[in-house]
Amino acid sequence: MTQSSAIYKVPDVAGHTDVSYEEKARLFAEVKSDVRFSDYLYGCYECGICVAACPSARFYDFSPRRIAQAAAREDVELIYQQMQEDIWECSQCFSCLRCPRGNNPGGIITIMREVSINNGLNSAKEALGGYSRIIYKIMSTGTQVSPDMLQPDAFPDWGPETGDVSNNLDLWRRALPSDTLHTTSTGWDVSERTLVELYLIWFHTGALSMIKDVDSGLHAILQEIMEERLEDEGIEL
Amino acid sequence: MTIPMEALMHKKANFERDTERYHDFREELLNLADSGEIMLQRITGETAEVPTKYGRMKRIQKGHLWHHKSCGQCGHIPGYSTSIFWVMRKLGYDSLDPKDQTSCTAWNYYASATSNAAAQAAVAVRNFAAAHETGYYPMIHCGTSYGHYKEVRHELMAHPELRREVREVMKKLGKQLVLPEEIVHYSEWFHAMRHEIAAKQTRDFSNIAVTVHPACHYYKLVEGDAIYDPDVYGGQRTAVVTALAESLGAEVRNYSTWFDCCGFGFRHILVQRDFTRSFATLRKIERMKEEADPDVVLTHDTGCVTTLDKSQFATQAHGRNVGIAVMSEAQFAALAMGAHPYKVCQLHWHSADYRPLLEKMGIDHEQAWAEFQADLARLERGEKRYLDWDDVDA
Ligand code: SF4
Ligand code: SF4
């Protein structure tokens, strides 16, 4: 089955003909069923104000207007194409909230990304390539950015100061006057009990299982770390 | 082409607020608290009132505050966090720097979407519940945490099924679904306290020119809850940062691309930095340099300080017109109040050259660096394990 009206992208233009219309429709239904979707889309004037405000539109072949229009028209083929080719360009700055119609194209993209992750789409796997270390950090330690990430080979474009930080890391952290900031592998000192509570959140909201399809290795490592910690605390899932 | 700012400002000079336009969420929040659906943390003690975008007055608790820290600040720009702590201490307001706090996890969420609405709300509520248990009122350091938490509040108010789900998760943690009466960003506290800060100013900033980058997640997400003042930009832009800089006697200069994002991009800053660098320098730093030539860019969010500061090095190598110091207004205010540029403001973690700015402020940065090195030597000799608040004011 396909959509037949002239307002929809035909599959050979939208590409991804190896995926059935039914599968694409199922994915869009998942986007639409998110509680936030109805808050994020009220139709579209096609005025382009969101595009004028959008940083990603300046540097990529990307447009929040196209995202809002495709969602408003329920153009299943085009939405699938966007999920595979466009959504990871967005900067999630939410400048597009300037929309006079009250739309939130950036928010629609957040939901489309979630659905891509949940369903292990290729675009999601690619987007997460090189990113798994960060997910590991945030899910397992409770802070995303740690001082020891500042390595000159990871950030050569940030100038020689990155090398100074990494060469003096332990000493410079000990020179910070706040008790919680002497850490090097986490942003601050997060208590054990707090971490246990965070792990319970990842398990009980399904956030941990979301990454199973896109990065099974990372999922297995995180699951083991968390289960072990919870077991130590005598908590059964 | 440069945007004709004067003409635009003139056209908008007669702007009037439409107080009806923005739905006041507080009544709904109180109803939910009365019906036992949520636990509300109330503002207590001394407060200041500041106006929001459509005129609603927002109350800012002055003291007894729970520092909801930012992982990007604590991890990569620690002088941002220590300056917030230091200014608060100097003004005599007590606060708590908790270990029972996680990141809001929104940086990862906006970068990788490896989470969902319920998990994000649960992380926010867990932190709010942790603050509530201590009796200290949460103050959010990160602009993204602040924007994301406002979204979470909106979603929790709008969707009973989400509230139910989060309540269930909280029950497993032995906690309640707690929301604070107001979600407050640290830059709102600095704004509300700007006259108290200026009263303790020890360095003259009258020859310092600044540009302000307002942070997207501060004022674009749930826009009606951000601070706008009719006396600052005629109420057309958020008043935070700008009003503080003016209170300290600095000259705030205008530039055309103020509404543009910094280029952080959440995932881009980590794995697609060509975009971040280009946007930050071509659309922000070069515009500022050409149109305003400031001594420093002030901003009020983690990602913006990182992006605007770190993106200049590589661009400089291409001979572009960049090279402006970047810092948070918290560090700027701390310097105005006499803070040490290295022991408190930790400027050695920054990349763009800040030394010309320090010279204009009348700070001998070579001597300051030698003082900091002397402290480090004490640590290396094992005289102390850590520096503390007494050391940084010594
Ligand atoms: S949130 Fe995404 S789509 Fe919206 S303006 Fe920012 S980059 Fe563009
Ligand atoms: S600003 Fe809103 S109405 Fe205009 S094109 Fe974008 S989504 Fe459509």
Side-chain angles (χ1 to χ4, degrees):
Chain A
M1 198 185 103
T2 56
Q3 287 168 312
S4 54
S5 157
I7 66 166
Y8 300 120
K9 278 254 177 192
V10 289
D12 51 353
V13 176
H16 307 282
T17 46
D18 53 323
V19 178
S20 70
Y21 178 83
E22 284 71 22
E23 174 62 3
K24 292 172 181 172
R26 183 187 70 77
L27 291 170
F28 178 56
E30 203 174 314
V31 171
K32 245 181 108 175
S33 69
D34 190 288
V35 288
R36 297 162 293 182
F37 187 81
S38 59
D39 281 350
Y40 289 173
L41 184 67
Y42 300 91
C44 175
Y45 298 140
E46 312 202 355
C47 62
I49 286 175
C50 55
V51 186
C54 174
S56 295
R58 273 182 201 279
F59 283 86
Y60 300 113
D61 179 12
F62 170 83
S63 157
R65 178 180 58 81
R66 290 204 304 254
I67 300 283
Q69 284 174 352
R73 289 180 192 160
E74 310 210 339
D75 189 335
V76 163
E77 294 285 353
L78 181 54
I79 289 162
Y80 185 81
Q81 183 188 28
Q82 291 171 341
M83 281 169 72
Q84 289 287 23
E85 297 172 23
D86 290 359
I87 53 174
W88 298 97
E89 314 290 26
C90 167
S91 304
Q92 293 281 281
C93 65
F94 298 99
S95 300
C96 49
L97 280 170
R98 234 185 179 179
C99 168
R101 195 72 185 82
N103 294 336
N104 182 352
I108 299 170
I109 289 169
T110 314
I111 299 173
M112 288 164 80
R113 285 180 173 187
E114 264 183 49
V115 171
S116 312
I117 296 277
N118 250 335
N119 290 276
L121 259 57
N122 279 340
S123 79
K125 287 183 183 152
E126 269 169 39
L128 261 47
Y131 199 81
S132 38
R133 211 165 55 100
I134 317 266
I135 298 172
Y136 172 80
K137 187 75 118 186
I138 186 71
M139 289 192 119
S140 67
T141 73
T143 72
Q144 163 157 345
V145 171
S146 59
D148 62 5
M149 277 168 64
L150 287 172
Q151 301 284 343
D153 54 345
F155 296 94
D157 51 329
W158 279 9
E161 292 76 12
T162 311
D164 297 341
V165 168
S166 106
N167 289 336
N168 295 288
L169 195 63
D170 176 63
L171 191 59
W172 283 10
R173 293 301 284 184
R174 285 197 283 126
L176 293 171
S178 328
D179 289 342
T180 55
L181 300 185
H182 299 138
T183 50
T184 54
S185 60
T186 55
W188 62 84
D189 191 356
V190 180
S191 76
E192 293 285 314
R193 179 73 219 162
T194 310
L195 270 188
V196 167
E197 291 176 357
L198 184 68
Y199 292 177
L200 284 171
I201 290 175
W202 297 142
F203 272 108
H204 289 303
T205 56
L208 180 62
S209 31
M210 279 180 77
I211 54 173
K212 204 170 180 176
D213 283 347
V214 275
D215 196 334
S216 55
L218 175 66
H219 177 262
I221 293 170
L222 281 170
Q223 184 159 10
E224 199 182 317
I225 290 175
M226 293 182 192
E227 280 179 352
E228 214 168 277
R229 174 72 62 99
L230 293 175
E231 211 171 280
D232 287 349
E233 294 282 322
I235 297 170
E236 276 192 34
L237 284 167
Chain B
M1 190 192 79
T2 302
I3 294 166
M5 292 302 295
E6 290 306 318
L8 282 178
M9 296 304 280
H10 179 72
K11 252 173 79 182
K12 291 187 169 180
N14 296 322
F15 165 79
E16 268 176 36
R17 278 205 170 92
D18 175 3
T19 46
E20 298 295 302
R21 182 164 162 199
Y22 184 65
H23 172 67
D24 188 346
F25 63 88
R26 284 173 305 177
E27 204 178 317
E28 220 169 307
L29 213 53
L30 286 174
N31 287 341
L32 287 174
D34 286 346
S35 62
E37 283 230 32
I38 64 166
M39 166 67 74
L40 202 60
Q41 180 166 9
R42 307 284 184 153
I43 291 167
T44 55
E46 211 187 330
T47 57
E49 283 210 338
V50 281
T52 53
K53 186 164 186 177
Y54 302 112
R56 180 181 84 78
M57 297 305 282
K58 185 169 185 173
R59 285 197 304 148
I60 311 289
Q61 183 170 318
K62 289 189 174 184
H64 212 56
L65 296 168
W66 193 86
H67 290 289
H68 181 293
K69 297 176 289 300
S70 151
C71 49
Q73 287 171 23
C74 293
H76 292 178
I77 334 162
Y80 198 151
S81 321
T82 47
S83 294
I84 297 173
F85 297 143
W86 186 88
V87 169
M88 201 168 271
R89 294 170 70 91
K90 283 284 154 187
L91 295 188
Y93 294 106
D94 73 316
S95 62
L96 183 76
D97 173 11
K99 291 184 180 177
D100 186 10
Q101 186 221 323
T102 69
S103 146
C104 67
T105 75
W107 181 344
N108 176 58
Y109 181 56
Y110 291 132
S112 76
T114 49
S115 186
N116 55 44
Q120 291 307 108
V123 167
V125 166
R126 199 219 67 83
N127 278 330
F128 287 142
H132 184 240
E133 283 160 17
T134 66
Y136 285 77
Y137 194 86
M139 185 177 80
I140 319 289
H141 289 199
C142 183
T144 285
S145 306
Y146 168 83
H148 189 57
Y149 284 179
K150 287 192 297 181
E151 279 192 312
V152 163
R153 178 183 64 197
H154 172 83
E155 285 155 19
L156 283 170
M157 287 195 304
H159 305 292
E161 65 277 30
L162 187 64
R163 284 201 296 278
R164 252 195 313 277
E165 195 179 347
V166 172
R167 258 200 316 271
E168 279 305 308
V169 176
M170 285 304 124
K171 210 181 280 172
K172 296 196 167 82
L173 270 51
K175 292 189 186 310
Q176 289 175 295
L177 197 171
V178 179
L179 287 174
E181 190 180 336
E182 295 277 10
I183 295 180
V184 177
H185 188 232
Y186 88 86
S187 70
E188 301 180 329
W189 186 89
F190 271 73
H191 175 78
M193 307 300 291
R194 65 193 183 282
H195 302 302
E196 291 188 32
I197 291 171
K200 299 233 171 185
Q201 185 166 5
T202 58
R203 290 183 176 124
D204 178 18
F205 280 6
S206 57
N207 64 338
I208 308 292
V210 311
T211 45
V212 172
H213 167 65
C216 294
H217 284 192
Y218 172 73
Y219 75 104
K220 291 172 184 169
L221 286 166
V222 194
E223 47 152 18
D225 207 19
I227 306 300
Y228 283 68
D229 185 324
D231 293 334
V232 182
Y233 302 119
Q236 292 294 306
R237 299 181 208 173
T238 179
V240 298
V241 186
T242 297
L244 173 68
E246 285 175 347
S247 302
L248 296 173
E251 181 197 349
V252 179
R253 293 186 184 162
N254 217 345
Y255 65 105
S256 57
T257 55
W258 65 271
F259 187 83
D260 269 353
C261 129
C262 64
F264 183 68
F266 297 87
R267 47 178 290 95
H268 301 72
I269 186 80
L270 294 166
V271 292
Q272 257 165 273
R273 276 207 299 289
D274 51 343
F275 164 81
T276 296
R277 272 198 307 273
S278 305
F279 198 87
T281 52
L282 303 180
R283 287 289 293 184
K284 300 295 295 196
I285 299 291
E286 278 200 338
R287 295 286 94 228
M288 292 178 194
K289 192 99 175 147
E290 192 177 304
E291 298 171 23
D293 195 21
D295 299 306
V296 60
V297 185
L298 298 181
T299 182
H300 57 142
D301 190 11
T302 317
C304 317
V305 172
T306 305
T307 300
L308 296 173
D309 182 43
K310 304 293 184 199
S311 298
Q312 295 185 51
F313 174 77
T315 325
Q316 216 149 16
H318 290 282
R320 308 290 312 202
N321 185 20
V322 295
I324 313 176
V326 180
M327 64 180 69
S328 66
E329 94 284 35
Q331 288 161 299
F332 191 71
L335 287 169
M337 289 170 63
H340 196 283
Y342 299 112
K343 297 183 195 181
V344 176
C345 300
Q346 303 283 322
L347 290 176
H348 47 293
W349 292 72
H350 292 230
S351 288
D353 192 5
Y354 50 81
R355 291 169 196 86
L357 170 73
L358 294 185
E359 280 161 22
K360 266 191 127 175
M361 289 174 168
I363 298 171
D364 182 341
H365 55 82
E366 282 175 10
Q367 188 193 323
W369 184 248
E371 288 160 1
F372 181 57
Q373 290 302 312
D375 273 355
L376 292 182
R378 285 168 62 211
L379 295 181
E380 283 187 301
R381 286 196 299 271
E383 285 171 32
K384 290 191 91 160
R385 177 89 186 126
Y386 306 111
L387 295 187
D388 56 33
W389 292 109
D390 291 334
D391 294 310
V392 303
D393 279 335

